[in-house]
Amino acid sequence: MAISRRSFLKGSSLAAASSLVAPSLLGNPFVRRAFADTIGDRYFLSIFLDGGNDGFNTVIPASNGGGSLRDAYDTARTTGAGGLNVSPSELTNTLIGLDPGSGAQLGLHPGMTGLKQLYDLGKVAVIQGCGYPRQSLSHEEARMAWQSGTPPGTNIGTGWIGRYLAANYGGNDIPGVCIRNEVAGEMRQTATSVLATSRMQSLRFPYDREFDSDIARKRAAFLGLYQGAAGATLPMSAYVGGSGVSTLLATESYNGLHDLYVNARGTFNQAYEDADRSMARDLREAAKVIYGITQGAENVHARMMQIANGGYDTHSDQGGGQSDGQHFDLLAEVGNSLKLFYDDCVDMGVADKVVIMVWSEFGRRVSQNDGGTDHGTQYPVFVLGGSVTGGVYGNHPNIDELALSDDGNTVYSQAAADSFRSTDMRDIYGTILKHWLGMPHQTILQNVLALDSGDPTQRWTQENFDMGFLA
């Protein structure tokens, strides 16, 4: 039985097409379509550590170098019951480079042996002292600042990746996939579409249950309705129709990625199963998208992906370097999952085509509380991939007690002569946009990264977006 337009609009679980406008439609995670690959045969993956990861126990000074970083760390982080201090001996197996400002030897948390292996391959950039002016200790505000790429007080309601997508893709495109049930803040915008699904296998077109259970007949009815609208002269009808066709085809295509990957890549699929961690499972979903593209899966073209991993709001029971500690467990999950995903990409032949950025909304205070850490400011960001120039970038923040703010946090600084000069988040984003996503410097300034007119110390020159971790 054919379904009339009136019956469809009345009975469908989707919003009535006649009442939709483009911005609200684009907020629907089911609205998506294949797009032209403007970044070429490349992928970008944003990984959010939700809760505020303790950066000072993630990248740790193992010595003083020419300064007093290790002494300051030992003063702030105690040993013994509830102590968070990670000793130099515990860092023996995870030592990385030297802090550029002080020359202090640095090490990754002992739980991050997986990431250390990638660092030793030259595939990890450790970017220290990351933050922004007028830093907020509110989870929501800080998350919004990093997602939008604008400091508090200048937020413009869209994401930094979203503005890149809006500048390069149309309303029926699918430039991004969020491995979750909502569109991530960094991809938010009103010009194009983003797919959001926690698992490819469970993705389905939202057929209305009031209609006949015969899926083939439902599919034909929806497809005919959307195709008819797509051919209309009224722009909104054509837009809704084109989006509807894309919705139907994309749900079928992305759903099929599960079987395609599992059947062809059984060894790696089992390795993700054996890891039995949420980040590993989410990274496997990203691997399914990438593998589908390498195999020419129809209607699968998204090159931008996002994953979130929670549990980093460690006000208590954080632990130091001991293997049964909460922070050890969290960081081991990150490092081991990333190593597995990278090995998967190597095996697929795409490791040089994937760049991953790992970030959190803020760090933690330098001094510990009874058994954890309170909300802080600057922290390290990791960028990794086969095309990344590995090493240590940016300066470790000044953690000397006398240099801290009144609330015990490190101070954001852009003073050129400061050996603890901060890394602005927009320098990281600009480097990725320019050197990985192929966006011209001036376009980045005008269309993507909102400059902070309230901070006269910011100098947004060519060098700001040439940090060196991407050629």
Side-chain angles (χ1 to χ4, degrees):
M1 180 180 69
I3 302 173
S4 70
R5 180 178 183 275
R6 180 183 297 275
S7 297
F8 166 73
L9 293 177
K10 181 178 179 180
S12 175
S13 60
L14 299 174
S18 60
S19 67
L20 288 172
V21 293
S24 60
L25 181 62
L26 289 166
N28 189 321
F30 288 107
V31 178
R32 51 207 179 272
R33 187 177 181 178
F35 64 97
D37 296 330
T38 63
I39 65 171
D41 193 15
R42 293 180 172 185
Y43 307 86
F44 177 68
L45 175 58
S46 171
I47 298 182
F48 170 41
L49 306 183
D50 191 356
N53 179 46
D54 179 10
F56 298 122
N57 264 22
T58 300
V59 177
I60 307 166
S63 71
N64 280 326
S68 58
L69 273 183
R70 182 66 208 189
D71 289 343
Y73 174 86
D74 285 334
T75 298
R77 302 284 168 104
T78 66
T79 59
L84 307 186
N85 192 292
V86 180
S87 68
S89 63
E90 291 177 294
L91 298 172
T92 301
N93 295 325
T94 53
L95 294 177
I96 51 173
L98 304 180
D99 172 46
S102 69
Q105 174 66 60
L106 302 172
L108 299 174
H109 188 281
M112 303 194 84
T113 54
L115 194 68
K116 162 67 168 155
Q117 292 177 59
L118 296 180
Y119 183 90
D120 289 345
L121 293 174
K123 305 305 181 184
V124 179
V126 178
I127 308 174
Q128 298 191 104
C130 303
Y132 52 85
R134 304 185 302 280
Q135 288 176 279
S136 173
L137 301 182
S138 156
H139 285 290
E140 182 177 0
E141 289 181 356
R143 189 182 301 119
M144 191 177 299
W146 276 91
Q147 289 173 337
S148 67
T150 59
T154 58
N155 187 280
I156 57 178
T158 56
W160 73 276
I161 299 175
R163 294 194 292 278
Y164 165 82
L165 299 180
N168 287 279
Y169 304 102
N172 290 336
D173 293 334
I174 315 174
V177 174
C178 298
I179 312 300
R180 57 197 299 177
N181 291 321
E182 61 182 1
V183 175
E186 57 262 48
M187 291 196 189
R188 196 167 296 143
Q189 33 78 37
T190 59
T192 188
S193 304
V194 172
L195 170 67
T197 180
S198 60
R199 295 291 177 264
M200 301 300 157
Q201 185 180 23
S202 62
L203 183 62
R204 296 288 188 276
F205 184 80
Y207 292 109
D208 196 292
R209 294 181 180 179
E210 289 186 22
F211 294 127
D212 186 355
S213 61
D214 185 341
I215 297 298
R217 295 173 66 190
K218 287 183 178 181
R219 184 187 188 280
F222 273 95
L223 186 60
L225 185 65
Y226 286 136
Q227 287 176 332
T233 55
L234 186 67
M236 181 56 71
S237 295
Y239 176 85
V240 171
S243 297
V245 172
S246 300
T247 298
L248 184 63
L249 297 178
T251 51
E252 295 170 345
S253 298
Y254 279 89
N255 174 272
L257 297 179
H258 173 79
D259 288 341
L260 180 67
Y261 180 90
V262 170
N263 292 336
R265 303 192 58 74
T267 300
F268 276 98
N269 181 64
Q270 187 60 50
Y272 287 112
E273 285 289 330
D274 293 342
D276 194 27
R277 300 306 297 264
S278 63
M279 180 176 283
R281 289 190 289 268
D282 288 345
L283 284 168
R284 179 171 53 182
E285 298 306 304
K288 291 174 185 177
V289 175
I290 294 172
Y291 183 68
I293 292 175
T294 68
Q295 300 304 299
E298 190 176 7
N299 301 314
V300 178
H301 302 274
R303 302 272 178 164
M304 315 284 284
M305 287 169 272
Q306 194 269 358
I307 287 171
N309 185 252
Y312 295 86
D313 197 13
T314 52
H315 287 274
S316 62
D317 300 321
Q318 180 176 311
Q322 65 271 29
S323 60
D324 60 350
Q326 179 184 184
H327 202 222
F328 187 106
D329 185 61
L330 289 165
L331 295 182
E333 177 178 3
V334 172
N336 294 339
S337 298
L338 287 171
K339 178 61 167 58
L340 174 56
F341 178 71
Y342 182 82
D343 289 346
D344 195 0
C345 289
V346 169
D347 192 71
M348 285 190 277
V350 298
D352 290 347
K353 301 175 182 180
V354 179
V355 164
I356 305 162
M357 185 184 75
V358 183
W359 62 282
S360 194
E361 70 263 42
F362 48 54
R364 316 299 292 188
R365 277 180 172 81
V366 183
S367 298
Q368 67 176 76
N369 58 32
D370 289 340
T373 46
D374 295 323
H375 297 182
T377 51
Q378 296 158 283
Y379 68 95
V381 166
F382 300 113
V383 179
L384 60 146
S387 294
V388 169
T389 302
V392 177
Y393 297 81
N395 304 306
H396 193 287
N398 191 347
I399 58 174
D400 187 278
E401 188 174 7
L402 296 177
L404 303 179
S405 64
D406 291 342
D407 61 4
N409 272 305
T410 58
V411 178
Y412 173 93
S413 167
Q414 284 294 303
D418 190 350
S419 60
F420 299 99
R421 183 180 180 180
S422 307
T423 301
D424 194 279
M425 62 181 175
R426 290 161 290 187
D427 294 343
I428 304 171
Y429 294 166
T431 299
I432 293 170
L433 289 163
K434 179 179 177 181
H435 293 281
W436 190 245
L437 303 182
M439 180 169 272
H441 178 83
Q442 244 351 89
T443 306
I444 295 171
L445 294 179
Q446 293 171 357
N447 295 348
V448 180
L449 295 181
L451 305 188
D452 184 13
S453 59
D455 184 4
T457 67
Q458 292 292 343
R459 291 179 299 278
W460 297 95
T461 65
Q462 190 83 7
E463 289 71 29
N464 282 98
F465 303 151
D466 293 326
M467 290 193 65
F469 57 83
L470 287 169

